[in-house]
Amino acid sequence: MLTVEKIGGTSMSQFQNVLNDIIGYPGSEGFHYGRVFVVSAYAGVTNWLLEDKKTKAPGVYQHFIKGEDYETSINQLLERMLQINESFVEIGLDYQVCRDFLLERINQTKAYLSSMEDIIASGYVERGSILSAARELLASIGEAHSAFNTVNILRNRGIRAELVDLTGFRDSKQLSFSERIERTFKNVNPFDAIIVATGYTKGVEGIMRQYERGYSEITFSKIATHLQANEAIIHKEFHLSSADPKIVGVEKAIPVGKTNYDVADQLADIGMEAIHPNASKPLEMAGINLRIKNTFEPSHPGTLISKDYIGPKARIEIVAGSDKIVVLEIHDTLMVGEIGFDYEIMKKFKEHNISYITKATNANSISLVIWESDLNDQLVAELKENYQTVTVQEAAIVCVIGSNIAMPRILARAANALAKNDINIKCVAQSLRQVNMQFVIDRKMYAKAIVCLNEDLCVAEY
C-alpha cells in the first residue's frame, strides 16, 4: 500500500511525536516503507519569511519590498531556524550538517535578493515579476529546512530515507509544477525508503502566486495523484471535528469519522479548510480517499473523506463559520421584475477580484456576504453611484454542514437553537442540494452560536 502524507507546521515543530507516533521505527508495529511525506515548514517559519498570516507583522519579504533592512531580518531568521535545529539534536539531528545546509541556502538567498534589488533599480524589468520571484524564493526556504532536517534525523535513527527537493534551488529549468514533480519522482522508489518531499514546488506558474499559503497542499495533492496513491493523509494538530475545539472545548469537539468531498468544499468556502479546494479536486477526480488524522492521537483512525460517501443516517457533521466577514447589501426599488439586475453587481465584484460567500435576495434587495479583508472603499463608492442604498455591516457567519442533512425540522432546530440563546439571524441561505445551511448573525455572537449549535445538533446526537 502506498500512502502520500502531509505533515503540518505545528506537528513538524513537535517532531518527536511525528517520529514516535506517525513514522515509527524499523521492527516496531505499524512501521513500513511505501510512504511519501510532504512536509510543511516548522510553525512560525513562513511567517518570519513572508509576513504573519494573522497579524500581518512583516517578515523578510515585507522588509524587502518596502526597501527596508531585510538583511537584519534574514539574520534573525537564521538564528531562529538554528534554534529549531538545536531543539532536535537530542532526537538525532546532526547539528553541523544541518547548519551547513541552512547557511548555504540563506547565503545564496541573500545573493539572489541583492541581485533582484539591482535589477529593480535598473528600471528595465517590471517590478511586480521580480517581487513575485522573491516571494517564491523566500517561501521555499521553510520547507527545504524542515525536509532536510527530517531526512537527517531519520537516517541517524537507522531509517532509510530520501530527500525529494522540489524547491528547484539553483535549477534554471523552466518547468511547471507537474513537470517538476514527474521528473523528480521518475527514479524514486517509495518502497525502498521513507520519502520526504518539500511542501514547496518550484514551477513557472508560481505556486505562491496561485495558491498563497495553501501551496504545500497543492504539492501534496499533485504527488498523490501522480503516484496514484492508495490513500492521501493529512496529519494535523486536531481532528476534523464537529466544531473548533478552541471554541467549544476538546471534549465537545466530536471527530467526524467519515464524510465526502462536497463537505470539504463547504468548509473551504468559509475558510475552515480540511484541505485547499484546488488540492481536493484532483484527489476526488482520481478516486483517492483523503484521511485527516490527529498527530497526537495516532491510534485514532481520524476522518475519511471520499467521493461518494453519504451518511447512513441524517445528522449534522460539522458546525463552522467565521467572524471575519461583512454583509454588503444593495437596496433599489428598480430591482423588482428587472431581469439580470445583479449582473452589473457581479461585474463590479469581478473587477475588484472579490468572490462572495453567500447571497440572499428579495424583491428589491441583495445581501452579499464577503470576507472583510476583500472589502474596499472604491467598490463601495462605485456601488453607491449606481444604486439607491448601499449598506455595509460587520457580521459573522455560522454554518451547519453534513453529507446527509436533507431532512425535515433540521433548519427549524438550528434556528431554534440560535433563538433560545438570543442570537438573531440577519440572513439565511440553503441551496437545493442541502449540504450547508448558512446563518449570518451579529459578530459578537459568533462563539456563542458555534457552541450552542454544536451542543444542540452534534453533541446531543452523538
Side-chain angles (χ1 to χ4, degrees), residues 60-280:
V60 176
Y61 173 74
Q62 290 298 327
H63 291 302
F64 176 75
I65 66 173
K66 294 173 183 176
E68 298 171 350
D69 177 18
Y70 66 87
E71 284 204 47
T72 296
S73 186
I74 289 181
N75 292 335
Q76 291 172 345
L77 167 75
L78 175 60
E79 288 305 311
R80 286 168 163 173
M81 295 172 88
L82 288 174
Q83 287 172 10
I84 291 172
N85 286 9
E86 285 179 9
S87 72
F88 294 135
V89 169
E90 64 181 25
I91 62 170
L93 182 133
D94 185 325
Y95 182 81
Q96 190 60 48
V97 170
C98 293
R99 177 181 181 273
D100 290 347
F101 172 82
L102 192 54
L103 279 174
E104 193 271 337
R105 288 281 167 130
I106 292 293
N107 288 335
Q108 187 60 50
T109 296
K110 286 180 180 179
Y112 284 145
L113 291 177
S114 178
S115 297
M116 289 179 185
E117 278 189 303
D118 291 341
I119 293 171
I120 290 172
S122 74
Y124 287 108
V125 179
E126 196 270 319
R127 175 181 166 87
S129 62
I130 299 297
L131 296 184
S132 177
R135 190 168 178 83
E136 299 281 338
L137 167 66
L138 287 165
S140 73
I141 294 172
E143 277 76 21
H145 174 221
S146 61
F148 187 89
N149 283 1
T150 298
V151 170
N152 181 264
I153 293 170
L154 294 182
R155 287 177 175 173
N156 292 335
R157 300 299 290 252
I159 300 170
R160 297 196 306 274
E162 182 177 343
L163 173 66
V164 174
D165 188 348
L166 298 168
T167 64
F169 204 74
R170 295 184 180 276
D171 183 354
S172 62
K173 296 186 187 71
Q174 296 294 296
L175 304 174
S176 67
F177 309 144
S178 297
E179 288 171 338
R180 186 170 300 279
I181 287 170
E182 289 167 9
R183 291 192 185 191
T184 307
F185 274 91
K186 188 174 182 180
N187 297 313
V188 172
N189 184 347
F191 295 98
D192 278 350
I194 295 292
I195 308 301
V196 181
T198 56
Y200 178 90
T201 302
K202 182 180 179 182
V204 291
E205 308 95 325
I207 203 165
M208 278 292 300
R209 185 164 60 248
Q210 285 200 12
Y211 306 109
E212 266 301 318
R213 302 287 273 268
Y215 61 82
S216 62
E217 291 185 355
I218 303 300
T219 296
F220 160 73
S221 174
K222 285 186 178 292
I223 292 174
T225 53
H226 171 66
L227 296 179
Q228 297 180 310
N230 298 100
E231 188 170 279
I233 304 172
I234 296 179
H235 299 276
K236 293 176 174 280
E237 65 270 31
F238 292 116
H239 287 292
L240 181 61
S241 303
S242 61
D244 186 344
K246 295 177 183 176
I247 296 176
V248 303
V250 174
E251 71 285 353
K252 295 290 182 71
I254 303 164
V256 174
K258 291 183 179 180
T259 192
N260 60 35
Y261 279 106
D262 197 349
V263 167
D265 289 344
Q266 307 306 315
L267 293 173
D269 196 44
I270 52 173
M272 305 289 289
E273 292 178 4
I275 182 172
H276 193 288
N278 291 105
S280 67

Side-chain angles (χ1 to χ4, degrees), residues 206-400:
I207 203 165
M208 278 292 300
R209 185 164 60 248
Q210 285 200 12
Y211 306 109
E212 266 301 318
R213 302 287 273 268
Y215 61 82
S216 62
E217 291 185 355
I218 303 300
T219 296
F220 160 73
S221 174
K222 285 186 178 292
I223 292 174
T225 53
H226 171 66
L227 296 179
Q228 297 180 310
N230 298 100
E231 188 170 279
I233 304 172
I234 296 179
H235 299 276
K236 293 176 174 280
E237 65 270 31
F238 292 116
H239 287 292
L240 181 61
S241 303
S242 61
D244 186 344
K246 295 177 183 176
I247 296 176
V248 303
V250 174
E251 71 285 353
K252 295 290 182 71
I254 303 164
V256 174
K258 291 183 179 180
T259 192
N260 60 35
Y261 279 106
D262 197 349
V263 167
D265 289 344
Q266 307 306 315
L267 293 173
D269 196 44
I270 52 173
M272 305 289 289
E273 292 178 4
I275 182 172
H276 193 288
N278 291 105
S280 67
K281 284 302 122 187
L283 295 175
E284 181 180 359
M285 292 172 66
I288 298 173
N289 292 344
L290 171 68
R291 190 179 298 275
I292 309 294
K293 294 200 67 175
N294 184 335
T295 299
F296 309 108
E297 285 190 46
S299 61
H300 195 289
T303 295
L304 188 69
I305 301 173
S306 54
K307 183 177 181 179
D308 299 318
Y309 176 82
I310 300 294
K313 68 174 185 175
R315 72 180 181 97
I316 299 303
E317 294 169 0
I318 301 172
V319 176
S322 175
D323 59 356
K324 302 294 190 295
I325 58 102
V326 295
V327 182
L328 183 61
E329 182 172 85
I330 294 95
H331 170 78
D332 198 311
T333 55
L334 297 177
M335 189 184 302
V336 181
E338 184 70 23
I339 296 172
F341 188 88
D342 62 348
Y343 176 66
E344 296 300 324
I345 298 172
M346 291 299 97
K347 286 205 299 186
K348 286 292 181 189
F349 270 53
K350 185 173 182 180
E351 287 172 13
H352 289 268
N353 197 32
I354 294 174
S355 175
Y356 65 84
I357 299 168
T358 192
K359 178 168 68 171
T361 68
N362 61 26
N364 52 25
S365 298
I366 299 177
S367 295
L368 296 137
V369 176
I370 65 173
W371 294 108
E372 186 174 29
S373 58
D374 286 341
L375 183 69
N376 66 75
D377 293 339
Q378 183 61 36
L379 170 66
V380 175
E382 290 173 11
L383 291 172
K384 285 183 175 180
E385 287 178 4
N386 294 288
Y387 305 105
Q388 287 179 7
T389 307
V390 177
T391 304
V392 178
Q393 190 174 109
E394 293 181 349
I397 187 169
V398 290
C399 307
V400 294

